[in-house]
Amino acid sequence: MAALLKRVGRAARPWLPAVQTWDFDTRRWVRALRRSPVKVLLPSGQVVDRRPGAGKLPGKAAAAEARPHVQRPKQAPPPQTPSTWEESGLRYDKALPGDKRLSNVMTIVRSRPFREKQGKILLEGRRLIADALKAGAVPKVFFFSRLEYIKELPLDKLKGVSLIKVKFEDIKDWSDLVTPQGIMGIFAKPDHVKMTYPKTQLHHSLPLLLICDNLRDPGNLGTILRSAAGAGCSKVLLTKGCVDAWEPKVLRAGMGAHFQLPIVNNLDWEAVPNYLAPNTRVYVADNCGLYARAQTSNKASDYGWLCDRQLSKFHKYEEEEEEEDLETGASKGWLPELEVQSYDLDWTEAPAAVVIGGETHGVSLESLQLAESTGGKRLLIPVVPGVDSLNSAMAASILLFEGKRQLRLRAEHWS
């Protein structure tokens, strides 16, 4: 029986390949029948194209083919403004140990003679640097401790600027701030003619000008500039003898006021009238309303308790003029005759300029002469007897905002 099964199995094996081949051929022909013919060859030899839409053009393509072909000039793609640091291609240097670029620059910008000779200033802090760039100041070098501080600045303002990454400890050693912000900028000294000031500041500008005379304290000058910007002054003039407006301490106290209104620095008194609008009257705030009595009295007690320190300077002019009078035989007053007026009375009927003197040296004789030539007066801020004179920054703030109040009332009256 076993032998019989073996013979049957051997006889059945040749049929298996034949069955599989027939099954494979069947699947192949079924798949071929499902295909869509591209071309059909007829018995006559004619070839028929069976592709869908053969020989026809779509509607838009046919219309375009019917129209005459006009070659249009290719337009250049619009230039793309880099939006990220990587796209802009900016590079920065990393200061190695012993790099003295930061120390060399700080030595220059901290000295007024070097600062004026090189025409460069130092700005520290992200907000102050951002205000300077917005106003159109030209940066030269940036020292920073973290790359994020540079990425916050406008990319178009950083082209051609040297970017140097230094250690935070190096910035801290040269910083004047209690809490350094990790970024310092060296800028070209701004020119008030080329600066772009905020539109809101220009819109609220008043016919009110400030002249600083013998202001030596950086903190006072910075505060005065801040008050002038807040009151809406059209311009600030600094005569020779004042502290440099671009000194780091003045910049820190000004809180960005340097880039909100024009500031003209280091002027001679002969050049001051060139910066005044026509028909401008100059008023002097000297904390002393008793100059008229001082002209006719030689007693120190008659000078007034506010004027001793300021009048001592003018006695020099009195003695010099007395010697000249003896030679020429002429007699004239040693001080210009200016009427004293309370600060809260109307003094803004014409464009006005206010002179603020320093606390130590007071106002100069040139300021009194300019006020006399323009028909101005002395503005007196009354204080309680026995109290020393007001701080220069406080006096300037009082007078400027009083002038703003008077101008606002006049505008409301006319409207």
Side-chain angles (χ1 to χ4, degrees):
M1 186 65 182
L4 180 61
L5 291 175
K6 289 181 179 180
R7 287 196 298 270
V8 173
R10 291 174 182 173
R13 286 177 185 173
W15 289 96
L16 293 177
V19 174
Q20 292 175 356
T21 304
W22 177 85
D23 184 58
F24 171 78
D25 294 341
T26 303
R27 288 197 301 269
R28 183 181 63 183
W29 286 110
V30 169
R31 187 167 61 251
L33 291 174
R34 291 177 181 174
R35 294 175 179 173
S36 299
V38 178
K39 294 181 180 181
V40 178
L41 180 62
L42 300 177
S44 61
Q46 183 182 1
V47 180
V48 180
D49 197 346
R50 291 293 184 89
R51 288 180 299 180
K56 299 181 180 180
L57 293 174
K60 294 184 179 179
E65 188 70 20
R67 293 194 301 265
H69 181 67
V70 179
Q71 187 176 3
R72 298 180 180 179
K74 296 182 179 180
Q75 295 181 356
Q80 296 182 355
T81 303
S83 57
T84 62
W85 175 273
E86 290 75 12
E87 294 177 359
S88 63
L90 295 175
R91 298 291 183 269
Y92 65 90
D93 296 336
K94 189 174 182 180
L96 301 176
D99 195 316
K100 296 184 178 181
R101 284 179 289 184
L102 177 60
S103 59
N104 293 338
V105 171
M106 292 296 113
T107 304
I108 292 176
V109 297
R110 285 179 176 274
S111 172
R112 180 169 184 173
F114 280 100
R115 193 164 55 239
E116 293 179 351
K117 182 179 180 180
Q118 298 290 335
K120 298 179 181 179
I121 62 172
L122 169 66
L123 301 181
E124 184 176 2
R126 285 176 282 178
R127 179 180 176 181
L128 187 59
I129 290 175
D131 291 342
L133 293 175
K134 190 175 181 180
V138 181
K140 298 297 183 181
V141 185
F142 280 121
F143 297 96
F144 59 95
S145 60
R146 298 179 62 181
L147 188 59
E148 289 76 11
Y149 299 153
I150 290 294
K151 291 185 177 181
E152 294 175 355
L153 303 178
L155 294 176
D156 58 330
K157 303 289 186 179
L158 299 180
K159 294 182 178 179
V161 181
S162 299
L163 306 176
I164 304 173
K165 186 178 181 181
V166 298
K167 294 182 178 180
F168 180 78
E169 289 74 14
D170 296 337
I171 292 181
K172 187 176 180 180
D173 292 340
W174 289 100
S175 175
D176 289 330
L177 302 180
V178 178
T179 306
Q181 299 185 22
I183 183 171
M184 292 179 169
I186 307 300
F187 286 73
K189 194 172 183 179
D191 185 358
H192 68 280
V193 178
K194 300 179 181 179
M195 298 290 287
T196 303
Y197 299 102
K199 293 182 179 179
T200 54
Q201 188 74 25
L202 299 176
H203 178 71
H204 293 88
S205 181
L206 302 174
L208 188 61
L209 187 142
L210 178 65
I211 303 175
C212 297
D213 184 18
N214 288 323
L215 282 172
R216 308 291 177 86
D217 185 81
N220 279 345
L221 180 57
T223 305
I224 288 175
L225 295 177
R226 190 176 179 183
S227 297
C233 281
S234 60
K235 193 179 300 181
V236 177
L237 306 181
L238 275 68
T239 61
K240 288 186 176 179
C242 292
V243 64
D244 185 17
W246 301 104
E247 184 175 313
K249 292 182 179 180
V250 181
L251 286 163
R252 185 168 66 253
M255 293 294 292
H258 294 72
F259 306 106
Q260 295 180 355
L261 78 167
I263 299 174
V264 186
N265 202 18
N266 203 27
L267 283 177
D268 291 318
W269 277 105
E270 292 76 8
V272 170
N274 299 331
Y275 293 90
L276 302 180
N279 303 322
T280 298
R281 294 182 182 179
V282 178
Y283 296 87
V284 178
D286 53 19
N287 280 342
C288 179
L290 302 178
Y291 272 117
R293 292 178 58 186
Q295 291 183 0
T296 58
S297 174
N298 292 325
K299 297 180 181 180
S301 60
D302 291 339
Y303 292 163
W305 49 270
L306 286 175
C307 306
D308 298 341
R309 187 169 50 193
Q310 297 175 354
L311 283 176
S312 60
K313 178 182 63 174
F314 291 115
H315 282 299
K316 177 183 65 175
Y317 297 103
E318 181 184 19
E319 294 174 357
E320 293 177 356
E321 291 187 358
E322 285 181 352
E323 293 177 359
E324 294 178 359
D325 293 341
L326 292 176
E327 296 176 359
T328 60
S331 62
K332 56 182 179 179
W334 62 281
L335 279 178
E337 295 183 2
L338 292 178
E339 182 181 350
V340 179
Q341 174 181 317
S342 179
Y343 79 102
D344 54 351
L345 298 179
D346 190 8
W347 48 272
T348 58
E349 63 275 2
V354 179
V355 179
I356 298 294
E359 298 180 23
T360 303
H361 299 84
V363 294
S364 61
L365 180 62
E366 291 82 0
S367 66
L368 299 176
Q369 294 172 345
L370 181 60
E372 182 184 33
S373 63
T374 58
K377 301 178 182 180
R378 298 190 186 94
L379 298 179
L380 175 64
I381 304 175
V383 294
V384 176
V387 178
D388 198 0
S389 60
L390 291 176
N391 174 271
S392 297
M394 183 64 68
S397 300
I398 292 174
L399 293 177
L400 293 178
F401 279 92
E402 171 61 22
K404 181 178 180 179
R405 184 191 67 84
Q406 295 180 12
L407 290 170
R408 187 184 71 249
L409 292 178
R410 180 173 286 102
E412 293 177 355
H413 173 72
W414 287 105
S415 61

